[in-house]
Amino acid sequence: GSLSLSSFLPSLPPSSFLISPVSPPGAGDQALFTSLYTPLAQQLPREPMEWRRSYGRAPKMIHLEANFVQFKEELLPKEGNKALLTFPFLHIYWTDCCDTEVYKASVRDNMMRWQGKLRLHGSADWVIVVVETSDAKKKNKTNILPRSSLVDKIHQIKICVVLSDPLQDSSRSQESWSAFLLKLRTLLLMSFTQNLGRFEDDMRTLREKRNQPGWSFCDYFMVQEELAFVFEMLQQFEEALLQYDELDALFTQYVLNFGAGDGVNWLGSFCSPVKSWTGLLLRRPIDMEKRDGIQRGQASLLELRSYLFCRQCTLLIFLQRPWEVTQRALELLHNCVQELCLLEVSMLEGALDCWVFLSCLEVLHRIEGCCDQAQLEANVSHTVGLWAYATDKLKSLGYMCGLVSEKGPLSLELNRTVDLLAGLGDEKAETVHSLQSPYKKLKEALSSVEAFERHYLELSHAAVEMYRAIGRMRSAQLIGKSLAEFYMRKGDPELAESFLQNALRSYVSEGWSLPVTHTRKQMAECQKLLGKTENYLQTSALLAGDANLTDEERIHFCQEILTFANQSTDSKGKQPKVALSMSSFAQLKQLQFRPATATVHSGTALQVELCLLSLMPVAVPLEQLAASVHLNLEQGGTNGKTRGPQSRPYPGTVLFPLANSSGMPPSAACPSLELEEIQDRSPLDPHTLNSTGMVCKNTHLVMRRHDSSPSPDTPNLVSPVPVVMDDGAKVLMSGDVTLLPGNNSIVFSSQELGTYTLRQLCATVGQVQFVLPHISPLVQYEVYSQEPQLTVEPLTDQLLAGLPQRAKVRLQTGHYTVKKGDALQLTNIDSMPVLTSSSCPATILNSTAEHVGESVLFIQSSEKVTCISLPPTPPYHTLEFQLEVLCVIPSDPVWPENQRLTNGEIRHRNIFCHCLCHCLCPQMSIDCPWSIYSTPISLTFYIPFKAKHSLLSAGNRKYIQVCLQNVSDVNFHLMDQRLTEKHQESSLELQSLNTKAQQLVCSKQSVYCVWDVRWKENMPLCLQCVFSASFSSASEEVSSFKPYHYEFQLERVTTLYSVRAEIMPAAGEQNCHSGSLCGLEMSITRLAEPEDNEDDGETEEVCSTKLMYEVADSSNSWVVYGRSSGLVSMPADANANHRVQVELMPLFAGHLPFPDIKVFKYLPPSANSTSQPDTDGCVENDTLSLLDRPLDDQGDTASIRSRGSVHSVGSGEQQSRGLPMPRLEPFNPGQVFNHSQGCQVLVLPSTDDHVLEINAT
């Protein structure tokens, strides 16, 4: 539906479109129209019409509502009249004439006169409506004019529409009405569109003339507002709002140009003094008073802005956008303040604040009227700005009118209050009955001190709660700071302190430098009034070092501190000390040690140089500057222990991080700005620069809110952290120091023994102490005392036994001074003699390992001691020289403890490796002149050789082989290898089979030596032999051979049995064939007889009558058929023989090795021997023991069930019952000789010619 303007603009016609339906008397039928008016007015706006506009604007659906008035010539538009609201868009001539005579006599002439008047005034939009009724036709049947003739005659003149029986309820009547209304709507919309287009063109033409003399903004305002009225009438509120926004932008541009020096004449009327500041009035859709003032050109700037915003507010509410009203209102109020300044409009002081205050509350009341409480609470972020602005303006009014001072307003301030209230005028009728109207609130607030305080606190707390509710803590704290100023003016600093604390805490934590400085000044004033001396001095120190203040202000606060510091003692004679944080007074920039290692020995002074940056604007004399140090007990110094210098993580200089000059903590430092230049160039000429600017790329980081909870160690808060001095701590002190502005250097010295950590720094100025409670990073220095230390180190990676080796002797004197005549006495030991010479050179080094001198040591040796005379050496120096020693290789092998029996005897074995323990650690003691105790020295020598022996047999003949392996990295010459008996008691002869007298043994290589063992009588049960050789280093120019001995022992080496085997082909064959059975004939012969003089153990061996044999193939070339093992009963006679036959099958053709044959001693259950023979040694024999075979190599042996050095034959049940079981025991190496070991037999392939096996690779 459409919207009538009658409720907005009473002086204008009450409808949307103006239509003249009838003519004066004699020119139309007024009675006819009156009868049709009601259905016509009702049915016209029911159906919407599509409105298409020019310039590509989108079509819209609108409802047409017309205002019908009687035709009068004075209503026709005159020349130059461009009003749309009073413009008749369509003229209608109504007639029901159906008589020819009547038409000719009067209707035609009347119609022509009507058309002539319209043409005279340029009105071309008209239509003739002919109403046909049945009654009229009946009355004039004789002279009735045919319908077609009358209509044709009228069509010759202009548009004609026929309406048939409009007052009857028939289908014909309805169709006639529908056609008529559609035609009427179409004509009316066409006329409106054409006239609206002409109006817009005229309006644009008028706007283009704005730079011509005589152009008036007020006249143009009324023209464009009329267009806005039309759009509002059509319910096109967006279009209407756009017209007012264009007017707003146009006026704003003119004001800005005026401020830039480009003024226009019509702006003079808006520069007139403002005499009324009633504020916005949003309760009327149209403020006719202000509109009349604009139309007459007599409106002030505030009246124009008020009326314009009132119309915008009305349209925004129609559009259901109330929160945009608040946004625009806040912009309007701020812009008006600036425009008044640009136009230099004179106003009474405080009048603008009254206008802003009233306008803020009026907008808020208007929004509250169109929104419910839930909507208001959900959109606090849109209204809180107006609450805060109103609060600020009310505070300004209170200051101007003397309502905030302790004494109340003065006469001048009372007169100003009266003048401000007079400018408000009378309250508007719309708000007279409202108890909470802005007018009443302002008038009441300015009436008394108590009322002002009540209203101001109410607004302030409401704004603070709103800001906190939406998370805008900075804005809330800003209002809190304003409350603090209010309480300070009221003389109540105690209430102001809490607000200032909250604001300052937030500014400090977020790094806002200038707000911190300003708030801190207010805080200092508050603390001074409250008598909080310590807090005031701390704040004064921060302000004195704040670079944001002027030099005069900084000197003032610095003088406040010095004045307090120089006060006399109190009444009790005790001078109080106030401890403050040093970070606001001075900053520790750098610390430097001399020497750079921060470590000196006792008797030497350590210097510590501090670089302090004084933040004070003037020179400050200090009574003393002290550095508190802490002794680290766990690191020596007072507990009797001593130690040498320790390495430091810093090279003598320590740099400390500096805070900014305003005392902001490092965590609150804002990130650096990332700025980028932007340029706006002309699209026509790229070289023409229209504008340029800077944009911040990291605004989200710079403007973000940081954590407002500060660290407890931050010294920049309003309530400083209490500074505690270490009681009883040792201090490094420097007196009578004057700190100049900028960098200062202070030097401390320390000679006390111990390791110290710098903890605190304290600067004393009279009664004030500035303390740095923690020095970070951790800084330590050390004054140490070191006992003399004597060490002996090898010059090479390994010391070799048996050869002369050189070792370095290092003497660190520590605190001891080596005097002339001091000597070292080395106790001589046989295993490591010192190869002495008359003298040797020595080198003297200082504590930094720099060469400072050389000397010659004199060495004297006796049978028991070797004396080394030392040259004079100062403390904390190092004396180095070299000694040559020789470690003798012992003849007996060095047996580890696990190789000895329980009775202490060495376990003997036939094959032995000399290098079970191939290192020697001889120890010697040295007597030093600075100690009554001997210093033990131990060196590790490695034996260069590893020796092992083995026994070889060939029937009854025996051979001894010795393998000598060079395990060192040195090449040696080896000569004179010998093997002898240790005691020479038997008739044993050892004949060497070695041909080379001297040979080279390279590193990691071995030499084998063999001797033939012959004896004239019986072979002894035990052979004790000694292998000896001479060796020298191959790198020596002059060879000096040193002896090497290796002792070993062989037991039970006599051959007891011999085994012979022969493989025979199958009967009738000359050779064995693969896949065919062959026969293995095995012969076991006893070679020794039992003798009466043999001991029990030997007799038991010789007289054993049962042997266990086993045939097995380790090469997987044979398959044993039948039994592969069995028991053999041997007679006790010498040369007794036993033969065994076993069937075999060769698996492959070729020369195949004989299968393995093994013989064991079979000990029946009645055997007395319960001792377990030694079988865990290194065994080397002609045969392979069954015990050493893997489980899967035992074949189908049925008589052997267990493994071990001694095998028990029997069932598991018998063993579990503890019954005596038979056992198998292997023979010692050399006791059984296998003649067939290493023999091969020729095996031919099978004679099957049909099978051919081919291996292709």
Side-chain angles (χ1 to χ4, degrees):
S2 62
L3 182 67
S4 175
L5 293 179
S6 58
S7 59
F8 295 107
L9 203 58
S11 61
L12 296 180
S15 299
S16 299
F17 297 100
L18 192 63
I19 301 177
S20 58
V22 295
S23 298
D29 193 344
Q30 177 69 32
L32 176 63
F33 172 75
T34 303
S35 63
L36 299 176
Y37 172 76
T38 301
L40 179 63
Q42 292 176 353
Q43 297 183 35
L44 181 65
R46 285 183 180 178
E47 298 294 333
M49 292 291 291
E50 185 181 28
W51 183 29
R52 294 182 177 271
R53 303 180 63 189
S54 58
Y55 302 108
R57 287 173 283 191
K60 298 180 181 180
M61 301 300 294
I62 62 174
H63 292 264
L64 299 178
E65 183 179 354
N67 181 33
F68 297 90
V69 297
Q70 186 177 2
F71 177 80
K72 295 180 181 180
E73 188 173 357
E74 56 268 18
L75 292 178
L76 297 177
K78 306 296 189 295
E79 183 69 23
N81 184 10
K82 304 183 183 304
L84 278 178
L85 295 176
T86 58
F87 186 83
F89 292 101
L90 183 63
H91 303 269
I92 305 176
Y93 188 91
W94 297 84
T95 180
D96 58 352
C97 176
C98 59
D99 191 327
T100 306
E101 298 299 331
V102 175
Y103 174 74
K104 293 179 179 179
S106 60
V107 173
R108 184 176 58 180
D109 295 338
N110 193 10
M111 189 181 300
M112 296 302 293
R113 287 194 300 271
W114 174 69
Q115 291 180 357
K117 294 180 181 179
L118 294 179
R119 292 192 191 98
L120 181 63
H121 291 82
S123 297
D125 298 316
W126 53 271
V127 63
I128 299 175
V129 180
V130 178
V131 180
E132 293 182 350
T133 60
S134 301
D135 297 340
K137 291 182 179 180
K138 293 178 180 179
K139 294 178 181 179
N140 301 295
K141 284 186 177 181
T142 56
N143 297 325
I144 189 170
L145 185 67
R147 175 180 178 275
S148 58
S149 300
L150 180 61
V151 173
D152 290 341
K153 292 179 181 293
I154 296 175
H155 271 305
Q156 294 176 1
I157 305 173
K158 194 60 180 174
I159 302 174
C160 178
V161 179
V162 178
L163 182 61
S164 301
D165 295 330
L167 299 179
Q168 295 183 5
D169 188 10
S170 64
S171 59
R172 184 170 178 267
S173 176
Q174 295 295 331
E175 292 177 359
S176 179
W177 269 111
S178 298
F180 170 72
L181 292 174
L182 178 61
K183 188 69 173 180
L184 186 60
R185 292 190 192 105
T186 303
L187 294 174
L188 182 59
L189 187 59
M190 290 175 57
S191 175
F192 172 73
T193 303
Q194 293 175 0
N195 287 279
L196 180 65
R198 285 194 295 268
F199 184 85
E200 288 180 334
D201 293 339
D202 295 340
M203 186 186 70
R204 279 190 287 270
T205 302
L206 180 62
R207 185 171 57 202
E208 295 299 328
K209 297 179 181 180
R210 62 185 180 276
N211 294 327
Q212 297 180 3
W215 189 86
S216 173
F217 175 80
C218 293
D219 296 340
Y220 176 76
F221 181 91
M222 303 307 295
V223 172
Q224 189 160 2
E225 189 188 26
E226 188 165 358
L227 180 61
F229 283 151
V230 171
F231 285 124
E232 185 178 1
M233 173 191 65
L234 297 175
Q235 294 189 352
Q236 303 301 313
F237 301 119
E238 285 284 358
E239 296 289 342
L241 180 62
L242 179 62
Q243 308 308 315
Y244 286 109
D245 289 344
E246 290 180 356
L247 289 171
D248 189 351
L250 181 62
F251 184 79
T252 300
Q253 188 61 47
Y254 273 108
V255 174
L256 294 177
N257 294 342
F258 183 86
D262 185 12
V264 288
N265 295 331
W266 57 266
L267 267 177
S269 61
F270 295 101
C271 297
S272 59
V274 177
K275 300 179 181 179
S276 175
W277 38 89
T278 56
L280 297 176
L281 182 60
L282 305 180
R283 303 169 194 260
R284 298 176 184 174
I286 299 178
D287 192 344
M288 295 305 300
E289 296 181 9
K290 292 184 175 62
R291 189 175 188 277
D292 292 342
I294 297 173
Q295 190 172 11
R296 295 192 305 269
Q298 298 176 356
S300 65
L301 176 65
L302 292 183
E303 290 174 342
L304 173 66
R305 283 299 186 185
S306 299
Y307 176 77
L308 188 58
F309 181 78
C310 174
R311 296 296 302 132
Q312 290 172 325
C313 174
T314 300
L315 294 173
L316 286 171
I317 291 178
F318 283 150
L319 290 170
Q320 297 182 357
R321 286 150 57 181
W323 311 119
E324 188 175 341
V325 174
T326 60
Q327 177 184 352
R328 290 184 176 226
L330 200 58
E331 295 175 358
L332 167 73
L333 299 178
H334 286 287
N335 291 338
C336 283
V337 173
Q338 300 301 321
E339 289 175 353
L340 289 171
C341 296
L342 290 176
L343 297 179
E344 299 178 356
V345 178
S346 63
M347 292 184 67
L348 180 66
E349 184 181 4
L352 183 58
D353 296 332
C354 291
W355 182 81
V356 171
F357 176 80
L358 293 173
S359 300
C360 288
L361 295 187
E362 178 67 16
V363 173
L364 292 173
H365 286 185
R366 185 70 179 92
I367 297 301
E368 290 175 358
C370 63
C371 298
D372 55 22
Q373 188 63 28
Q375 290 177 323
L376 292 174
E377 293 177 357
N379 294 272
V380 171
S381 58
H382 296 91
T383 58
V384 65
L386 293 173
W387 284 103
Y389 203 18
T391 303
D392 183 67
K393 291 306 176 182
L394 183 60
K395 181 188 72 171
S396 299
L397 288 173
Y399 289 171
M400 292 179 189
C401 299
L403 300 175
V404 187
S405 62
E406 299 181 24
K407 300 179 180 179
L410 303 177
S411 58
L412 180 62
E413 296 166 340
L414 290 175
N415 293 334
R416 182 182 295 122
T417 303
V418 172
D419 294 339
L420 290 176
L421 294 177
L424 298 179
D426 297 332
E427 189 173 4
K428 302 299 180 181
E430 291 81 0
T431 62
V432 169
H433 302 290
S434 176
L435 299 179
Q436 296 293 329
S437 65
Y439 181 88
K440 291 185 176 66
K441 281 189 175 183
L442 179 59
K443 196 168 185 180
E444 182 182 358
L446 298 181
S447 61
S448 65
V449 174
E450 293 78 9
F452 172 81
E453 182 176 354
R454 185 179 69 258
H455 283 284
Y456 175 69
L457 293 180
E458 178 184 351
L459 289 176
S460 298
H461 289 297
V464 168
E465 292 301 326
M466 292 180 186
Y467 276 130
R468 289 178 178 174
I470 62 176
R472 292 178 57 180
M473 304 306 296
R474 297 192 188 107
S475 300
Q477 289 159 358
L478 190 62
I479 297 181
K481 188 179 174 183
S482 177
L483 282 173
E485 296 177 1
F486 171 78
Y487 285 119
M488 289 293 291
R489 282 178 172 263
K490 295 286 289 183
D492 194 354
E494 188 173 357
L495 293 177
E497 185 182 20
S498 60
F499 292 103
L500 293 176
Q501 285 179 346
N502 293 334
L504 183 58
R505 186 179 293 108
S506 175
Y507 295 150
V508 168
S509 63
E510 296 179 7
W512 300 99
S513 177
L514 290 176
V516 164
T517 303
H518 181 263
T519 309
R520 200 167 269 154
K521 287 175 61 178
Q522 295 175 314
M523 197 68 193
E525 180 183 358
C526 181
Q527 291 167 347
K528 189 174 183 180
L529 293 176
L530 292 174
K532 297 183 177 181
T533 304
E534 183 176 352
N535 293 346
Y536 174 68
L537 292 177
Q538 183 69 72
T539 306
S540 298
L542 289 168
L543 293 172
D546 196 334
N548 294 324
L549 296 178
T550 62
D551 292 340
E552 292 77 7
E553 291 176 313
R554 294 177 60 191
I555 293 174
H556 164 72
F557 288 108
C558 182
Q559 194 61 41
E560 289 285 305
I561 301 173
L562 297 179
T563 301
F564 177 83
N566 296 328
Q567 289 179 357
S568 58
T569 58
D570 57 10
S571 59
K572 297 182 180 180
K574 180 181 178 182
Q575 187 174 4
K577 293 286 186 180
V578 177
L580 305 177
S581 174
M582 183 179 284
S583 59
S584 58
F585 175 73
Q587 295 180 4
L588 180 59
K589 289 182 58 178
Q590 178 179 311
L591 183 145
Q592 186 172 5
F593 288 104
R594 299 174 186 168
T597 58
T599 303
V600 296
H601 53 75
S602 59
T604 304
L606 175 74
Q607 290 187 341
V608 183
E609 180 179 359
L610 301 181
C611 181
L612 281 180
L613 174 64
S614 176
L615 303 178
M616 296 295 103
V618 296
V620 179
L622 304 181
E623 294 182 6
Q624 67 177 16
L625 182 65
S628 173
V629 295
H630 175 72
L631 176 62
N632 300 334
L633 297 177
E634 66 277 6
Q635 298 184 7
T638 62
N639 55 1
K641 298 181 181 180
T642 59
R643 65 191 190 97
Q646 303 293 318
S647 60
R648 299 295 175 190
Y650 37 83
T653 302
V654 182
L655 300 178
F656 298 91
L658 294 179
N660 51 52
S661 59
S662 61
M664 309 299 294
S667 60
C670 294
S672 59
L673 294 176
E674 296 181 9
L675 300 178
E676 183 179 359
E677 182 182 4
I678 56 173
Q679 296 179 350
D680 180 20
R681 297 187 179 274
S682 172
L684 301 179
D685 185 7
H687 300 287
T688 302
L689 185 64
N690 292 336
S691 63
T692 185
M694 302 294 291
V695 61
C696 179
K697 298 172 62 177
N698 60 338
T699 311
H700 62 290
L701 296 178
V702 177
M703 301 300 295
R704 69 178 178 180
R705 181 176 179 267
H706 299 272
D707 186 10
S708 59
S709 57
S711 170
D713 294 333
T714 305
N716 309 302
L717 302 181
V718 291
S719 298
V721 178
V723 180
V724 180
M725 290 291 297
D726 291 343
D727 294 333
K730 295 185 178 182
V731 294
L732 305 178
M733 192 175 298
S734 179
D736 297 332
V737 177
T738 300
L739 287 185
L740 301 177
N743 294 327
N744 298 266
S745 179
I746 300 96
V747 179
F748 299 100
S749 296
S750 177
Q751 293 183 346
E752 296 187 20
L753 190 66
T755 301
Y756 296 93
T757 302
L758 292 177
R759 289 292 183 86
Q760 294 181 335
L761 195 63
C762 178
T764 303
V765 184
Q767 301 180 46
V768 180
Q769 289 181 331
F770 293 96
V771 181
L772 180 62
H774 304 288
I775 296 179
S776 180
L778 191 66
V779 179
Q780 290 184 342
Y781 70 90
E782 181 181 12
V783 180
Y784 66 91
S785 174
Q786 182 182 8
E787 291 291 336
Q789 296 180 1
L790 180 65
T791 57
V792 180
E793 301 173 353
L795 292 180
T796 58
D797 293 339
Q798 291 184 351
L799 295 178
L800 298 180
L803 294 176
Q805 302 289 296
R806 301 190 70 83
K808 179 190 288 186
V809 181
R810 178 182 288 109
L811 172 60
Q812 295 178 343
T813 59
H815 63 81
Y816 181 77
T817 301
V818 179
K819 301 175 290 296
K820 184 177 181 181
D822 288 346
L824 301 177
Q825 292 186 358
L826 284 69
T827 303
N828 295 336
I829 56 176
D830 296 336
S831 60
M832 190 180 66
V834 179
L835 305 180
T836 60
S837 60
S838 59
S839 62
C840 68
T843 303
I844 301 176
L845 308 175
N846 61 9
S847 58
T848 59
E850 296 177 357
H851 185 275
V852 296
E854 293 184 354
S855 182
V856 177
L857 303 181
F858 295 97
I859 303 176
Q860 296 179 356
S861 181
S862 62
E863 181 180 356
K864 294 184 178 182
V865 295
T866 299
C867 183
I868 304 175
S869 300
L870 301 176
T873 307
Y876 298 100
H877 281 61
T878 302
L879 178 66
E880 294 181 351
F881 59 92
Q882 296 181 8
L883 287 180
E884 190 173 28
V885 295
L886 175 64
C887 180
V888 179
I889 302 176
S891 299
D892 298 330
V894 183
W895 294 93
E897 291 298 328
N898 58 1
Q899 299 297 328
R900 297 182 179 272
L901 301 177
T902 55
N903 59 359
E905 297 180 359
I906 298 173
R907 177 180 295 174
H908 300 286
R909 50 185 75 227
N910 292 333
I911 296 177
F912 170 72
C913 176
H914 189 283
C915 203
L916 291 174
C917 186
H918 63 281
C919 61
L920 304 173
C921 299
Q923 290 189 354
M924 62 186 304
S925 61
I926 302 178
D927 294 332
C928 305
W930 56 80
S931 176
I932 61 175
Y933 301 101
S934 297
T935 302
I937 298 296
S938 177
L939 293 176
T940 301
F941 292 84
Y942 294 87
I943 301 174
F945 297 108
K946 173 183 177 183
K948 64 179 180 179
H949 65 277
S950 59
L951 178 66
L952 306 178
S953 300
N956 289 328
R957 298 185 62 178
K958 303 294 181 179
Y959 301 90
I960 297 177
Q961 176 183 278
V962 177
C963 175
L964 190 66
Q965 181 183 3
N966 182 5
V967 296
S968 68
D969 297 330
V970 182
N971 299 333
F972 292 100
H973 287 296
L974 191 66
M975 63 176 296
D976 196 15
Q977 300 95 327
R978 295 180 183 181
L979 183 64
T980 60
E981 282 190 275
K982 185 174 182 180
H983 300 294
Q984 295 291 338
E985 295 178 355
S986 63
S987 58
L988 193 67
E989 180 182 353
L990 299 174
Q991 183 178 354
S992 175
L993 303 180
N994 307 306
T995 58
K996 293 183 179 181
Q998 180 177 347
Q999 52 186 325
L1000 178 65
V1001 184
C1002 297
S1003 174
K1004 311 304 179 184
Q1005 291 186 352
S1006 302
V1007 173
Y1008 292 87
C1009 303
V1010 181
W1011 283 267
D1012 185 5
V1013 182
R1014 298 182 180 182
W1015 60 92
K1016 298 178 181 180
E1017 300 176 358
N1018 294 332
M1019 174 69 74
L1021 294 178
C1022 180
L1023 294 180
Q1024 294 185 357
C1025 304
V1026 178
F1027 170 77
S1028 62
S1030 299
F1031 68 95
S1032 67
S1033 175
S1035 62
E1036 294 181 359
E1037 297 181 0
V1038 179
S1039 299
S1040 176
F1041 287 90
K1042 305 297 179 182
Y1044 175 78
H1045 300 278
Y1046 168 53
E1047 294 184 5
F1048 59 91
Q1049 179 177 306
L1050 297 173
E1051 296 178 352
R1052 299 177 183 180
V1053 297
T1054 304
T1055 303
L1056 300 180
Y1057 298 93
S1058 67
V1059 179
R1060 293 179 184 273
E1062 183 178 359
I1063 297 178
M1064 296 173 295
E1069 299 288 343
Q1070 294 182 354
N1071 298 101
C1072 297
H1073 293 271
S1074 61
S1076 301
L1077 290 176
C1078 302
L1080 172 65
E1081 185 174 340
M1082 179 175 54
S1083 174
I1084 303 175
T1085 305
R1086 181 188 288 276
L1087 300 180
E1089 295 181 356
E1091 297 180 1
D1092 296 337
N1093 58 354
E1094 293 178 351
D1095 57 9
D1096 297 338
E1098 185 65 23
T1099 300
E1100 183 183 350
E1101 286 188 11
V1102 177
C1103 295
S1104 296
T1105 59
K1106 290 186 179 182
L1107 301 177
M1108 170 71 76
Y1109 72 89
E1110 180 190 15
V1111 179
D1113 180 26
S1114 61
S1115 62
N1116 295 327
S1117 301
W1118 301 89
V1119 175
V1120 181
Y1121 280 81
R1123 294 176 60 88
S1124 62
S1125 60
L1127 290 178
V1128 176
S1129 296
M1130 294 296 297
D1133 299 333
N1135 298 323
N1137 183 269
H1138 187 86
R1139 293 180 180 275
V1140 179
Q1141 290 186 352
V1142 179
E1143 289 185 343
L1144 303 174
M1145 177 188 290
L1147 300 177
F1148 306 103
H1151 291 277
L1152 300 183
F1154 275 41
D1156 298 331
I1157 300 173
K1158 300 178 182 178
V1159 180
F1160 303 92
K1161 287 182 287 187
Y1162 181 81
L1163 303 179
S1166 60
N1168 297 327
S1169 175
T1170 59
S1171 64
Q1172 303 294 331
D1174 183 15
T1175 60
D1176 57 349
C1178 179
V1179 179
E1180 185 173 333
N1181 195 3
D1182 301 324
T1183 61
L1184 179 66
S1185 173
L1186 174 66
L1187 311 177
D1188 299 329
R1189 281 193 307 145
L1191 185 60
D1192 55 0
D1193 292 342
Q1194 295 185 19
D1196 55 352
T1197 302
S1199 59
I1200 301 176
R1201 300 298 182 185
S1202 62
R1203 290 178 172 267
S1205 58
V1206 177
H1207 296 263
S1208 298
V1209 182
S1211 65
E1213 183 180 357
Q1214 291 173 338
Q1215 293 181 14
S1216 63
R1217 293 177 182 177
L1219 299 178
M1221 301 297 298
R1223 294 177 290 114
L1224 296 180
E1225 182 176 344
F1227 288 97
N1228 286 343
Q1231 290 184 323
V1232 178
F1233 179 73
N1234 188 355
H1235 292 270
S1236 303
Q1237 187 172 9
C1239 294
Q1240 294 180 336
V1241 62
L1242 176 61
V1243 178
L1244 298 179
S1246 176
T1247 57
D1248 187 359
D1249 298 333
H1250 299 284
V1251 179
L1252 179 62
E1253 182 178 349
I1254 299 176
N1255 294 329
T1257 59

